[in-house]
């Protein structure tokens, strides 16, 4: 049995169960049929004798019978006995035994010479101590015929029940397990072809098989997301780390061959340190972005004072480019449900981006407002702005607009992370920019916990 498929096991089990059930029903019918037949015979005997009693009277010490009275009614015999037990009227069956004791109103079975009989006696009084016994007699029904018929039915029904139940069980099992076959085929195809974009695609339903298929599809979707994030991380890291690694190797080789003074060695070390810090920053940002995409880094939301956080970040800014000033317009006591670390990173990235693309003696304005049920945070600058044909590209990884100083700064991941953090808070970030006039990045997200959790 252990080598059989689940469908075959289920078919055998249901077939045996149906056979057992049919056999029990037939056995119950056989046991009940004898009781039903006997009970029906007793009841018919009692009713017939009772209905015959009014037709028996006595006039001038002579028994008289009504015109419609009959001593035989079907298989039932009516006998009239004296109080002493002498037969006065009626003819008993040939095999009926003589001398049976009279018992008023009690139906019972007695054994005759060659067969059994059901009898019932009623005392019919004609005075205080005078009367006659009226006895009803009928042959006990032969239940062997009924049992034989039921046995024939059983031998016909049992094989038919086995065939029908087995076929029905197999069809049901095949229909039920067909989705599982699809799951096995889809999983095998994904395993062989390494194509995580394939799905089982079972129709939606509430049964266990449909829910299993949906669970597999969700699992494949998560695996595909994780795999794509891993590929993206590997591609990004290998592409972006190539340049600083090449600079470090070149600087090491140049210093080994050409550096003769401590100052030259110090200059080479400074270059190597800058490139190493660039690599460290790039790897840290890539890892955080990958964790956010995969959902392995969960946001730690809490109800906090956003006004105080924005004010602290604006006050504790590191040295901005020469001549660039930062001004804050913060509405006090703005409470919101947010992740302090992620929102701090978002604001810092926006400020760094504004400083990076600022003009000499430029300005940065940070604004925080509570509007309706949302929080609106904006960072505006009067820098070089963004060309209209590049507005859709700035959110892509590693894409950078040329700065006012002629070279790109950073690693081009800041705005990508800003959009990710905004999405985690159930919000959006938009940009309004005019080339040569400056840019304004605006974050809007719901302030209440329920709105973010339902996002």
């Amino acid at each position: 049995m252990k080598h059989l498929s689940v469908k075959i096991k289920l078919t055998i089990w249901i077939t045996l169960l149906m056979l057992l059930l049919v056999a029990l029903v037939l056995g119950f019918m056989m046991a009940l049929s004898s009781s039903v037949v006997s009970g029906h015979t007793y009841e018919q005997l009692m009713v017939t004798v009772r209905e015959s009693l009014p037709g028996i009277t006595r006039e001038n010490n002579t028994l008289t019978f009504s015109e419609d009275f009959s001593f035989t009614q079907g298989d039932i015999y009516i006998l009239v006995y004296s109080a002493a037990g002498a037969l006065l009227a009626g003819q008993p069956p040939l095999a009926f035994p003589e001398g049976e004791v009279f018992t008023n109103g009690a139906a019972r079975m007695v054994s005759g010479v060659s067969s059994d009989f059901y009898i019932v006696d009623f005392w019919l009084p004609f005075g205080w101590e005078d009367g006659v016994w009226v006895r009803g007699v009928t042959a006990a029904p032969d239940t062997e015929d009924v049992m034989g018929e039921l046995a024939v039915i059983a031998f016909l029904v049992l094989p038919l029940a086995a065939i029908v139940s087995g076929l029905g069980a197999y069809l049901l099992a095949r229909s039920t397990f067909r989705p599982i076959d699809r799951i096995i085929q889809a999983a095998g195809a994904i395993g062989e072809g390494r194509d995580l974009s394939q799905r089982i695609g079972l129709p939606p339903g509430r049964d266990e098989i449909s829910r299993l298929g949906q669970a597999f599809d969700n699992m494949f979707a998560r695996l595909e997301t994780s795999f794509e994030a891993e590929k993206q991380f590997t591609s990004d890291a290998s592409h972006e780390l190539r340049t600083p690694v090449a600079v470090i190797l070149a600087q090491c080789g140049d210093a080994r061959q050409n550096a003769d003074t401590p100052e030259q060695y110090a200059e080479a070390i400074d270059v190597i340190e800058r490139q190493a810090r660039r690599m460290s920053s790039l790897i840290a940002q890539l890892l955080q972005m990958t964790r956010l995409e995969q959902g392995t880094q969960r946001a730690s939301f809490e109800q906090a004072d956003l006004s105080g956080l924005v004010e602290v970040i604006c006050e504790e800014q590191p040295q901005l480019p020469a001549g660039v000033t930062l001004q804050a317009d913060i509405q006090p006591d703005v409470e919101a449900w947010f992740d302090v670390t992620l929102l701090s990173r978002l604001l810092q990235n926006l400020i760094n981006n504004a400083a990076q693309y600022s003009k000499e003696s430029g300005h940065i304005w940070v604004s925080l407002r509570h509007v309706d049920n949302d929080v609106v945070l904006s960072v505006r600058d009067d820098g070089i702005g963004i060309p209209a044909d590049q507005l859709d590209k700035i959110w892509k990884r590693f894409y950078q607009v040329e700065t006012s100083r002629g070279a790109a700064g950073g690693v081009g991941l800041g705005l990508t992370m800003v959009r990710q953090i905004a999405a985690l808070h159930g919000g959006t970030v938009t940009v309004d920019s005019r080339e040569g006039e400056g840019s304004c990045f605006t974050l809007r997200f719901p302030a209440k916990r329920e709105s973010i959790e339902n996002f």
Side-chain angles (χ1 to χ4, degrees):
M1 286 289 288
K2 64 180 181 180
H3 299 295
L4 298 178
S5 67
V6 177
K7 288 186 287 188
I8 300 300
K9 290 180 180 179
L10 185 61
T11 301
I12 294 175
W13 168 251
I14 293 179
T15 302
L16 293 176
L17 186 63
M18 285 299 298
L19 287 175
L20 178 61
L21 181 61
V22 172
L24 289 175
V25 170
L26 289 174
F28 177 75
M29 289 176 62
M30 289 181 178
L32 186 63
S33 61
S34 177
S35 176
V36 169
V37 170
S38 299
H40 176 72
T41 304
Y42 276 126
E43 182 179 0
Q44 188 177 12
L45 178 63
M46 294 279 288
V47 170
T48 301
V49 175
R50 285 180 182 275
E51 291 177 350
S52 300
L53 293 179
I56 305 174
T57 59
R58 189 173 70 177
E59 297 179 2
N60 300 322
N61 293 325
T62 302
L63 288 176
T64 60
F65 301 93
S66 62
E67 295 180 358
D68 59 348
F69 186 87
S70 176
F71 287 97
T72 57
Q73 300 182 28
D75 295 332
I76 298 176
Y77 296 83
I78 305 298
L79 307 176
V80 181
Y81 292 86
S82 66
L87 180 62
L88 301 177
Q91 181 65 41
L94 294 177
F96 185 72
E98 297 180 359
E100 282 296 322
V101 178
F102 293 97
T103 304
N104 189 29
R108 59 201 184 278
M109 185 179 70
V110 298
S111 298
V113 177
S114 60
S115 60
D116 296 330
F117 295 90
Y118 292 162
I119 65 173
V120 63
D121 301 322
F122 288 102
W123 172 252
L124 182 61
F126 294 138
W128 288 103
E129 296 181 358
D130 192 12
V132 294
W133 287 101
V134 180
R135 170 172 287 176
V137 180
T138 185
D142 188 2
T143 58
E144 293 183 0
D145 294 339
V146 178
M147 295 300 179
E149 293 177 0
L150 287 176
V152 172
I153 294 175
F155 283 115
L156 292 176
V157 169
L158 283 176
L160 182 61
I163 294 173
V164 172
S165 61
L167 181 60
Y170 178 77
L171 294 176
L172 177 63
R174 188 178 67 174
S175 174
T176 302
F177 285 95
R178 186 179 293 117
I180 294 183
D181 293 335
R182 289 178 59 179
I183 294 175
I184 295 173
Q185 293 172 2
I190 292 173
E192 293 176 2
R194 299 182 63 82
D195 183 8
L196 293 175
S197 64
Q198 291 191 32
R199 296 293 181 269
I200 297 170
L202 293 181
R206 295 184 178 180
D207 59 276
E208 292 79 359
I209 303 298
S210 298
R211 285 158 46 198
L212 177 62
Q214 294 168 10
F216 268 93
D217 282 344
N218 293 335
M219 181 186 68
F220 291 146
R222 290 194 297 270
L223 288 175
E224 182 182 14
T225 300
S226 299
F227 185 68
E228 292 299 325
E230 181 182 349
K231 288 200 304 183
Q232 183 71 44
F233 175 83
T234 304
S235 174
D236 293 342
S238 61
H239 179 269
E240 293 301 319
L241 292 177
R242 187 180 298 117
T243 299
V245 168
V247 172
I248 290 175
L249 292 176
Q251 194 66 35
C252 290
D254 182 70
R256 184 179 288 110
Q257 294 180 3
N258 303 319
D260 296 325
T261 64
E263 290 76 12
Q264 291 175 329
Y265 277 108
E267 182 179 355
I269 291 174
D270 288 341
V271 173
I272 293 173
E273 183 180 8
R274 285 197 301 272
Q275 295 301 322
R277 291 185 182 277
R278 177 183 172 88
M279 292 171 60
S280 176
S281 175
L282 172 65
I283 292 172
Q285 292 187 61
L286 281 175
L287 285 174
Q288 185 170 23
M289 289 178 62
T290 302
R291 293 189 185 112
L292 290 175
E293 289 174 351
Q294 292 182 328
T296 55
Q297 178 175 334
R298 299 287 183 179
S300 300
F301 288 96
E302 59 180 290
Q303 189 74 22
D305 180 13
L306 184 56
S307 298
L309 176 66
V310 174
E311 185 176 354
V312 169
I313 293 175
C314 292
E315 290 177 353
E316 296 182 355
Q317 278 301 304
Q319 185 176 3
L320 296 172
V324 177
T325 60
L326 186 150
Q327 300 179 21
D329 181 14
I330 303 171
Q331 178 181 335
D333 301 325
V334 176
E335 294 281 334
W337 181 257
F338 62 95
D339 183 300
V340 175
T341 302
L342 292 179
L343 215 57
S344 300
R345 172 62 64 88
L346 179 145
L347 179 56
Q348 188 63 60
N349 285 355
L350 289 178
I351 294 175
N352 291 343
N353 186 75
Q356 179 181 333
Y357 293 97
S358 66
K359 297 178 181 178
E360 293 184 2
S361 302
H363 302 82
I364 300 174
W365 295 272
V366 177
S367 172
L368 176 66
R369 289 287 182 273
H370 191 285
V371 181
D372 297 329
N373 294 322
D374 294 338
V375 172
V376 179
L377 174 66
S378 64
V379 177
R380 181 170 62 89
D381 64 73
D382 57 359
I384 63 174
I386 304 171
D389 60 345
Q390 299 185 37
L391 284 175
D392 292 337
K393 301 176 182 178
I394 61 174
W395 308 106
K396 296 180 180 179
R397 293 188 180 194
F398 304 111
Y399 186 83
Q400 293 176 283
V401 179
E402 185 177 345
T403 68
S404 61
R405 299 167 182 81
V411 294
L413 292 174
L415 292 181
T416 306
M417 189 174 295
V418 164
R419 174 167 279 187
Q420 280 185 317
I421 296 173
L424 282 175
H425 286 76
T428 58
V429 58
T430 57
V431 58
D432 181 19
S433 182
R434 290 178 177 81
E435 191 172 5
E437 298 181 11
S439 304
C440 180
F441 289 84
T442 302
L443 166 69
R444 188 180 186 119
F445 69 95
K448 295 183 178 180
R449 172 178 183 175
E450 295 79 8
S451 302
I452 296 178
E453 290 179 344
N454 294 331
F455 176 74

